[in-house]
Amino acid sequence: MASLQKQTNTDGENNYEKPGMPRTPKEWKKWKEERKTVKRKWKEEKLIKTLEKEITREKDKEAKKLKEDDDKRTKEKKGRPYTVSIALPGSILDNAQSPELRTYLAGQIARAAVVFSVDEIIIFDETGCTQKSTEGDFDGIGKKGQANVQLARILQYLECPQYLRKSFFPQHKDLQYAGILNPLDCPHHMRTSEDCIFREGVVLDKPVKPGKGSFVNVGLQKEVQIDRELRAGVRVTVKLDTTQEDKKMRKGTVVAPSTPRTSAGLYWGYSVRLALSLGAVFSECPYKHGYDLTVGTSDKGTSVDDVAFSRFRHALIVFGGVNGLESSLEFDEALGVDDPSLLFKHYLNSCPGQGSRTIRTEEAILITLSAVRPRFHSAIKKLDTS
């Protein structure tokens, strides 16, 4: 602290002043102006700092908003907008030499479909059978048309979550050896402890109050009450309510089976469809505008290395049986063509230079899906940017 000097003014009174303090009115005026200048400068600096802070806050707010928008766009793009379907004849099971091998062959096809996120499997008939349902009993190896039904039933059984199988699959001869198969372990095959906003369930036969929805078993310790009343025994896809505070009774909303794929990018298993012929694979397509990318597979086709796909929404890849697609075409007189390549946008050889004389259908599925996967991604990038 600056020391004070004791001075005596003209009146003889003691006066304490700091060294350098102004003594004359002129000095006082100059000192006050200097003080004002300093204060003004200090205020300007303070104002500049305040403005800088405000600008920084605005920038941070803008950056945060941009990040939220990016996250929102990323979340919106997280879903998968396209589907992949495969078609094959059920007669390939007749090439297996025992019921156990037939079952294992079906399990190989299911595993291949799940590994490459196939959304639909179509089993078409190439023997002239007219059976289009999985109802009925398996009458033995080699019986006409039964291979289609057995293959479809095993594929459906494997795709179903384990906690729902008792509700949809009673004991059946076609499923006698299904226990030896490797599990698919799809995202919707959940354990009780797993947490996910979507779950597969079955509507329970329990009474509900008027205006309330049905109860559904979704594989949790307690059932979930959905937003509508449905017939008991129906399989549904449920979106759980994550905002409710009361956890005593979980709430959920019934959504389309495709919602987990389109909104969250989750692979939600495959559907199984039976077709009476090769032509029915195309004509009975479940999508409104049909398949806009169709691929046939044959060793007589163009090398997959020389092909690029255009953008698409629904892709279909068709595999032949033991004698190829040419044999499948012979049993479908309604198509009116002799060359199977005319049915497809691309007719591909997915394994050029193969070392074996023949490639089995279950092997062709893995080879082809592996080869076309990067081409699918390239085509979808075109779809995203359009």
Side-chain angles (χ1 to χ4, degrees):
M1 187 174 181
S3 60
L4 297 178
Q5 294 179 348
K6 186 176 179 181
Q7 295 180 348
T8 304
N9 59 15
T10 54
D11 297 330
E13 296 179 356
N14 293 332
N15 186 22
Y16 293 89
E17 295 179 351
K18 291 182 180 178
M21 286 285 285
R23 299 180 182 179
T24 64
K26 191 176 180 180
E27 290 177 346
W28 270 105
K29 187 178 179 181
K30 185 180 177 182
W31 180 79
K32 284 180 180 180
E33 288 177 356
E34 290 175 352
R35 290 276 297 176
K36 284 180 182 179
T37 304
V38 171
K39 284 183 179 180
R40 195 181 300 114
K41 188 177 179 182
W42 177 78
K43 285 181 180 179
E44 288 175 355
E45 290 176 351
K46 186 177 180 182
L47 181 61
I48 290 170
K49 287 181 180 179
T50 304
L51 289 173
E52 287 176 349
K53 286 182 180 179
E54 189 66 27
I55 291 170
T56 304
R57 269 198 298 268
E58 289 295 326
K59 285 183 178 179
D60 291 342
K61 193 184 291 185
E62 188 177 350
K64 186 178 179 182
K65 188 175 183 302
L66 287 172
K67 186 176 183 301
E68 288 175 354
D69 291 342
D70 288 341
D71 291 342
K72 187 178 180 181
R73 281 193 292 269
T74 302
K75 188 176 181 181
E76 289 174 353
K77 287 186 176 181
K78 193 177 180 182
R80 177 161 60 91
Y82 66 94
T83 65
V84 177
S85 303
I86 62 172
L88 66 153
S91 60
I92 63 170
L93 289 194
D94 292 332
N95 212 28
Q97 298 175 351
S98 69
E100 293 91 339
L101 290 177
R102 287 169 72 96
T103 303
Y104 191 75
L105 176 55
Q108 286 181 293
I109 294 168
R111 284 288 303 173
V114 167
V115 167
F116 289 97
S117 300
V118 170
D119 302 286
E120 181 191 28
I121 303 177
I122 306 116
I123 311 299
F124 65 89
D125 185 74
E126 62 173 7
T127 62
C129 175
T130 58
Q131 190 166 355
K132 194 180 174 182
S133 169
T134 55
E135 299 299 323
D137 296 326
F138 170 56
D139 296 328
I141 296 177
K143 296 297 180 181
K144 193 175 183 180
Q146 288 301 315
N148 302 324
V149 178
Q150 186 182 23
L151 177 57
R153 182 177 284 113
I154 295 173
L155 291 176
Q156 288 175 335
Y157 174 82
L158 290 174
E159 186 276 337
C160 184
Q162 290 87 335
Y163 58 86
L164 296 180
R165 286 177 180 170
K166 286 186 178 179
S167 301
F168 296 109
F169 295 94
Q171 285 189 347
H172 197 283
K173 288 183 179 179
D174 286 357
L175 303 174
Q176 183 178 1
Y177 299 102
I180 67 174
L181 299 178
N182 297 316
L184 301 188
D185 206 18
C186 302
H188 65 299
H189 289 196
M190 295 182 189
R191 286 75 170 173
T192 305
S193 58
E194 286 186 280
D195 188 24
C196 182
I197 192 173
F198 297 104
R199 275 185 173 268
E200 287 294 290
V202 58
V203 179
L204 301 175
D205 188 10
K206 291 182 66 174
V208 294
K209 296 179 181 179
K212 299 290 185 180
S214 301
F215 293 99
V216 177
N217 171 24
V218 295
L220 297 173
Q221 292 181 346
K222 294 183 179 180
E223 59 266 16
V224 173
Q225 190 168 31
I226 56 176
D227 58 331
R228 66 190 75 175
E229 189 172 353
L230 297 175
R231 178 171 52 85
V234 174
R235 179 174 167 177
V236 291
T237 304
V238 179
K239 183 179 181 181
L240 299 176
D241 185 357
T242 57
T243 60
Q244 67 177 106
E245 297 179 359
D246 183 16
K247 298 294 184 180
K248 291 182 180 179
M249 175 58 68
R250 296 293 299 268
K251 302 285 185 180
T253 306
V254 176
V255 297
S258 60
T259 301
R261 170 181 61 83
T262 57
S263 66
L266 294 172
Y267 175 61
W268 214 244
Y270 53 78
S271 61
V272 179
R273 175 163 67 92
L274 281 168
L276 295 180
S277 63
L278 180 58
V281 172
F282 302 91
S283 62
E284 297 174 0
C285 174
Y287 306 113
K288 185 176 180 180
H289 299 293
Y291 303 108
D292 50 356
L293 174 61
T294 55
V295 178
T297 58
S298 171
D299 57 355
K300 302 176 182 65
T302 305
S303 172
V304 69
D305 300 330
D306 303 327
V307 173
F309 296 148
S310 57
R311 56 187 183 177
F312 68 95
R313 290 288 183 184
H314 304 291
L316 169 67
I317 305 174
V318 182
F319 300 90
V322 176
N323 298 315
L325 283 174
E326 292 79 8
S327 175
S328 302
L329 194 60
E330 289 178 6
F331 289 94
D332 195 348
E333 297 178 358
L335 287 175
V337 294
D338 298 327
D339 186 358
S341 65
L342 300 176
L343 298 174
F344 307 98
K345 192 171 184 179
H346 300 282
Y347 198 56
L348 301 182
N349 179 1
S350 57
C351 188
Q354 63 192 60
S356 173
R357 291 190 182 91
T358 58
I359 294 179
R360 300 171 65 89
T361 303
E362 65 272 21
E363 297 167 342
I365 293 173
L366 283 169
I367 295 168
T368 304
L369 290 176
S370 179
V372 301
R373 179 177 173 272
R375 289 162 178 79
F376 280 168
H377 289 178
S378 299
I380 292 306
K381 285 181 182 178
K382 300 175 187 176
L383 182 66
D384 291 337
T385 54
S386 62

